[in-house]
């Protein structure tokens, strides 16, 4: 079974460009919707009168190097440097996309 998470967006092109810059590829274009794919993760953004910004979009990497590489790219948007989270046994950092959605980058330790 596969799945897709969809969000409404007011800034479709900016949001798609942001996630494409992270390495996501366009999986499917539909009228007013773009579905992106990164590994086995799919997320869709559809034009709307307001943006859905609740929840967290999380990208999972094989190791800390992947997290660190994205941190270098997104340092200006990041909430802080990557760090180890004892509670969940993960290495992570958070950033925001162009509409303010929380985006997490993590690896399980």
């Amino acid at each position: 079974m596969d799945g897709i998470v969809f969000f409404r967006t007011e800034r479709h092109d900016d949001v798609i460009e942001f996630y494409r810059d992270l390495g996501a590829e366009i999986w499917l274009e539909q009228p007013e919707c773009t579905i992106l794919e990164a590994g086995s993760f799919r997320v869709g953004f559809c034009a709307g009168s307001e943006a859905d910004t609740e929840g967290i979009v999380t990208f999972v990497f094989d190791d800390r190097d992947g997290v660190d590489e994205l941190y270098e790219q997104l340092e200006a948007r990041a909430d802080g440097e990557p760090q180890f989270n004892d509670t969940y046994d993960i290495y992570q950092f958070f950033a925001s996309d162009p509409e303010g959605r929380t985006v997490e980058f993590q690896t399980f330790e």
Side-chain angles (χ1 to χ4, degrees), residues 7-9 18 27 41 49 51 57 64-65 68 73 99 107:
F7 293 98
R8 284 187 308 248
T9 177
F18 172 81
W27 182 72
F41 177 55
S49 59
V57 178
R64 287 184 177 211
D65 290 341
D68 290 339
Q73 182 178 337
E99 289 185 306
T107 186

Side-chain angles (χ1 to χ4, degrees), residues 25-82:
E25 296 182 6
I26 294 175
W27 182 72
L28 182 64
E29 286 282 4
Q30 297 179 311
E32 299 188 9
C33 285
T34 301
I35 301 171
L36 300 171
E37 182 175 55
S40 60
F41 177 55
R42 292 184 187 139
V43 60
F45 295 96
C46 299
S49 59
E50 59 185 49
D52 293 321
T53 58
E54 297 298 319
I56 299 174
V57 178
T58 300
F59 291 93
V60 179
F61 294 86
D62 291 333
D63 55 36
R64 287 184 177 211
D65 290 341
V67 174
D68 290 339
E69 184 177 311
L70 262 294
Y71 175 74
E72 289 177 16
Q73 182 178 337
L74 296 172
E75 186 173 358
R77 289 185 172 273
D79 294 348
E81 294 183 3

